[in-house]
């Protein structure tokens, strides 16, 4: 891993996942031919020039109406009890080479003494890097991470010497939609499918070794991508090392922790009762949802949503821009708590203008019912308050 780790330090960036795109020279191949030209600015932020994933999309906030929240109900994610924090926790875990992703999750459950945990985006045993692990009820939002994209740092070995320019040109042809058939060792159906490579940046070429950063759609196989690049070069190629450096909102930053750090934090809590370190290595579930557009709802709409009801226009306080019908969105309280994952029934402009009707259909509830009072109780309370004021 020395080459990959050196690149991370030198480039100050993250990447890694198992993904690949199919290019080939033969029409009989299971891979698709590389395209003839590189899409202009694909996967690049026009303002900064930085490589971006779908999770990096910038949105603005639109205020529909103002609202107030009752401090007697709910709590901000940072102020949850430790028990609730563990039940709604997310870990930005740095997987080491050797164990399977399932083994890592089993160890996390044993370390934290929790009954339920799951991971998003399987990493092969020899692959290292970011493995998002969600705890308890937070596992309900696992599928939302598949929409955010992955990034990898890959060391590819080209089987015969090739001019550097040829390598760079061929790698550039793999940016965009590609056709790919999962490798034989994978557990998914071996059918040809389309995946998107958001960007593929060659960082360094040393002889027949190529170090590259790949931003791709979830479900892309990097090992297969290297094989297909080798076919396009006419030399053959294989993946030698791989590290995932991004998984949607999870990055190689101060939140990235190892299993050893997780153990240390739990032991310190058990021995001293100090929760600070444990809270530092385990994030609120909201950290796993920042890549999705946000709708902020009124207190009197929360409990109905917790029971599976759709969100009606009167319950919407604010929203983010660039939401289209059918997009996944997250419903938040005014305290910043994630209530549910939903599907937008209207666009941002339509939501802002709507006075009635359904704006989002609830799909997965995160918050426990009863956290906020039923709407009729709030109405009853507000009505009694107004009566007292008139008197």
């Amino acid at each position: 891993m020395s080459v990959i780790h050196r690149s991370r330090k030198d480039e100050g960036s993250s990447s890694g996942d198992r993904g690949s795109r199919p290019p080939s020279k033969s029409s009989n191949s299971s891979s698709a031919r590389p395209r003839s030209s590189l899409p202009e600015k694909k996967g690049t932020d026009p303002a900064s020039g930085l490589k971006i994933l779908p999770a990096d999309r910038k949105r603005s906030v639109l205020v529909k109406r103002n609202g107030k929240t009752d401090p007697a109900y709910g709590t901000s994610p940072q102020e949850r009890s430790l028990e609730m924090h563990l039940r709604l926790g997310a870990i930005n875990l740095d997987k080491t080479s050797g164990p399977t992703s399932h083994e890592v999750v089993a160890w996390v459950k044993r370390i934290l003494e929790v009954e339920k945990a799951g991971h998003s985006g399987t990493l092969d045993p020899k692959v290292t890097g970011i493995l998002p692990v969600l705890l308890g009820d937070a596992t309900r939002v696992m599928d939302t991470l598949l929409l955010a994209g992955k990034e990898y740092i890959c060391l590819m070995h080209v089987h015969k010497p090739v001019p550097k320019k040829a390598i760079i040109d061929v790698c550039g042809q793999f940016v965009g939609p590609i056709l790919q058939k999962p490798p034989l060792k994978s557990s998914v159906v071996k059918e040809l499918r389309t995946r998107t490579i958001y960007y593929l940046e060659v960082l360094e070429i040393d002889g027949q070794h190529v170090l590259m950063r790949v931003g791709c759609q979830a479900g892309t196989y990097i090992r297969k991508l290297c094989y297909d690049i080798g076919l396009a070069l006419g030399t053959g190629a294989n993946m030698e090392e791989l590290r995932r450096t991004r998984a949607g909102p999870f990055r190689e930053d101060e939140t990235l922790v190892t299993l050893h750090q997780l153990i240390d934090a739990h032991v310190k809590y058990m021995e001293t009762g100090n929760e600070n370190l444990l809270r530092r290595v385990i994030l609120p579930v909201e950290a796993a949802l920042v890549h999705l557009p946000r709708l902020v709802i009124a207190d009197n709409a929360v409990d109905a949503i917790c029971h599976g009801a759709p969100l009606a226009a009167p319950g919407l306080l604010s929203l983010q821009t660039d939401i289209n019908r059918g997009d996944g969105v997250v419903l938040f309280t005014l305290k910043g708590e994630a209530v549910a994952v939903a599907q937008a029934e209207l666009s941002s402009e339509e939501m802002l203008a709507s006075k009635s009707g359904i704006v989002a259909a609830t799909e997965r509830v995160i918050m426990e019912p009863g956290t906020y009072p039923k709407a009729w109780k709030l109405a009853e309370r507000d009505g009694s308050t107004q009566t007292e004021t008139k008197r």
Side-chain angles (χ1 to χ4, degrees):
M1 283 299 162
S2 57
V3 176
I4 289 182
H5 286 174
R6 187 179 72 240
S7 74
R8 289 169 53 206
K9 179 179 179 181
D10 294 343
E11 297 296 327
S13 169
S14 61
S15 53
D17 185 28
R18 65 178 176 183
S20 63
R21 146 170 195 135
S24 77
K25 300 180 113 185
S26 164
S27 59
N28 295 326
S29 170
S30 64
S31 303
R33 285 194 186 99
R35 298 184 302 170
S36 58
S37 61
L38 177 65
E40 186 177 359
K41 297 292 184 182
K42 186 76 175 179
T44 303
D45 180 3
S48 64
L50 297 175
K51 304 299 182 183
I52 60 173
L53 295 176
D56 301 320
R57 188 173 184 178
K58 303 297 182 184
R59 303 175 188 270
S60 302
V61 176
L62 302 173
V63 178
K64 189 175 176 70
R65 67 183 179 88
N66 294 323
K68 294 182 179 180
T69 184
D70 191 334
Y73 303 103
T75 181
S76 69
Q78 293 73 26
E79 296 176 350
R80 289 173 179 145
S81 66
L82 184 61
E83 179 184 359
M84 185 180 296
H85 185 71
L86 289 175
R87 198 172 75 240
L88 291 171
I91 305 173
N92 186 11
L93 191 66
D94 190 350
K95 177 189 171 296
T96 59
S97 178
T100 66
S101 298
H102 292 293
E103 286 175 330
V104 171
V105 171
W107 292 339
V108 169
K109 291 167 64 176
R110 193 180 311 162
I111 291 167
L112 298 177
E113 300 176 0
V114 296
E115 294 183 0
K116 190 176 182 181
H119 69 273
S120 175
T122 302
L123 291 177
D124 289 342
K126 291 184 179 180
V127 178
T128 68
I130 293 174
L131 182 70
V133 177
L134 303 181
L135 309 175
D137 293 342
T139 55
R140 298 172 184 173
V141 306
M142 198 91 71
D143 290 348
T144 65
L145 292 173
L146 300 178
L147 307 173
K150 311 285 181 67
E151 185 183 79
Y152 299 85
I153 291 290
C154 173
L155 181 63
M156 177 177 68
H157 177 251
V158 180
H159 296 167
K160 295 179 182 179
V162 182
K164 291 184 178 181
K165 186 178 184 303
I167 294 174
I168 293 172
D169 288 346
V170 168
C171 286
Q173 293 170 9
F174 281 83
V175 177
I178 63 170
L179 291 175
Q180 188 177 72
K181 181 179 286 188
L184 294 175
K185 291 184 178 180
S186 66
S187 58
V188 299
V189 178
K190 312 303 183 292
E191 293 180 349
L192 200 63
R193 57 188 187 175
T194 302
R195 287 295 180 267
T196 300
I197 304 297
Y198 302 115
Y199 51 85
L200 197 164
E201 182 182 7
V202 176
L203 302 175
E204 184 179 346
I205 300 176
D206 184 5
Q208 292 171 228
H209 286 90
V210 181
L211 189 68
M212 54 190 185
R213 178 186 293 117
V214 182
C216 59
Q217 183 181 0
T220 306
Y221 287 85
I222 300 298
R223 189 181 304 278
K224 187 68 166 59
L225 176 63
C226 292
Y227 175 82
D228 292 335
I229 291 174
L231 290 180
L233 286 169
T235 61
N238 66 280
M239 184 189 82
E240 287 201 348
E241 297 182 39
L242 187 65
R243 178 174 177 82
R244 183 194 283 163
T245 51
R246 281 199 61 186
F250 296 97
R251 304 168 178 260
E252 285 188 316
D253 55 19
E254 68 280 356
T255 66
L256 187 64
V257 299
T258 64
L259 279 172
H260 291 92
Q261 290 173 313
L262 194 64
I263 293 172
D264 290 344
H266 189 259
V267 169
K268 183 172 183 178
Y269 166 69
M270 296 300 292
E271 292 180 347
T272 67
N274 190 330
E275 303 175 0
N276 293 338
L277 192 55
L278 200 56
R279 288 181 179 272
R280 196 174 306 139
V281 297
I282 301 174
L283 307 171
V285 64
E286 286 77 9
L289 298 167
V290 296
H291 60 291
L292 293 177
R294 167 187 298 232
L295 305 184
V296 177
I297 63 177
D299 281 12
N300 60 7
V302 174
D303 193 65
I305 300 296
C306 291
H307 284 87
L311 174 65
L316 179 61
L317 300 179
S318 67
L319 60 145
Q320 290 187 316
T321 54
D322 298 325
I323 299 173
N324 299 310
R325 294 190 181 205
D327 286 353
V329 296
V330 184
L331 311 183
F332 283 87
T333 68
L334 282 165
K335 298 183 182 70
E337 308 154 281
V339 180
V341 176
Q343 184 180 74
E345 296 290 319
L346 303 174
S347 67
S348 293
E349 294 76 12
E350 292 169 332
M351 289 184 190
L352 191 63
S354 64
K355 295 182 179 179
S356 62
I358 303 302
V359 299
T362 301
E363 293 188 335
R364 290 185 190 84
V365 175
I366 303 167
M367 180 178 286
E368 283 293 316
T371 304
Y372 280 73
K374 295 182 184 296
W376 65 267
K377 288 187 177 181
L378 287 176
E380 183 181 77
R381 184 200 65 193
D382 294 341
S384 64
T385 302
Q386 292 175 5
T387 302
E388 290 174 4
T389 302
K390 289 181 180 178
R391 290 177 182 174

